[in-house]
Amino acid sequence: NQSKHLGNIRLSGGVSSPPVSVSAVGAATAITTGTDYSCALDTSGVVYCWGANVFGQLGFAGGSGLSRLNAPTAVASMGSGNKAVSAGNRHTCAINSNNALFCWGHNGDAQLGSNGTVDSSTPLPVPGLGSNVTAVALADEFTCAIVSGAVRC
């Protein structure tokens, strides 16, 4: 819990057994974890992230200057109604209410899909996918999505 990726500010040190409640999220429909950070989607479709934020992977404007968030905090610029969230090594993506894909965080290998390699602490729309994204999966330094039934990576 050194990076606060367990979402419980009362814990110190690196371990917790048994599992702890992450009460700031409320009722969740999805959970995903990256390297030293976590994100969840609540029943209203709000994306919450917490933990390490070295590359802006928590989705807060100016976020790379903020090294961590100790408790789950809504990614305000994503609003509500989001349909999915996925965490990679140090980048995050979400499918918004219009079925468009937004990504943020580390972009050293262009894994944000934004035609460059500059990190972003603000969620950016992935160009060229339109509003037909139905699933997203992230890994170490790449991103794949299902768009109109076709896999795009």
Side-chain angles (χ1 to χ4, degrees):
N1 196 43
Q2 293 170 340
S3 295
K4 305 302 182 199
H5 52 279
L6 296 180
N8 188 315
I9 60 174
R10 293 184 195 100
L11 293 174
S12 61
V15 297
S16 174
S17 179
V20 296
S21 175
V22 182
S23 59
V25 175
T29 60
I31 185 77
T32 184
T33 59
T35 301
D36 292 332
Y37 79 104
S38 302
C39 295
L41 189 67
D42 77 3
T43 56
S44 297
V46 174
V47 176
Y48 289 85
C49 294
W50 62 95
N53 193 45
V54 176
F55 296 97
Q57 64 265 41
L58 301 183
F60 301 95
S64 59
L66 174 67
S67 65
R68 78 187 74 224
L69 281 174
N70 295 341
T73 304
V75 181
S77 64
M78 288 302 295
S80 62
N82 295 290
K83 299 178 178 180
V85 62
S86 185
N89 181 15
R90 290 182 171 90
H91 72 295
T92 310
C93 296
I95 300 171
N96 78 355
S97 60
N98 296 319
N99 296 318
L101 187 63
F102 284 73
C103 297
W104 59 93
H106 186 53
N107 198 32
D109 292 310
Q111 60 267 41
L112 301 184
S114 57
N115 299 321
T117 56
V118 177
D119 298 345
S120 177
S121 59
T122 302
L124 300 172
V126 178
L129 299 184
S131 58
N132 298 308
V133 181
T134 56
V136 60
L138 281 60
D140 187 20
E141 301 295 336
F142 66 96
T143 302
C144 294
I146 297 177
V147 184
S148 300
V151 175
R152 304 272 304 266
C153 296

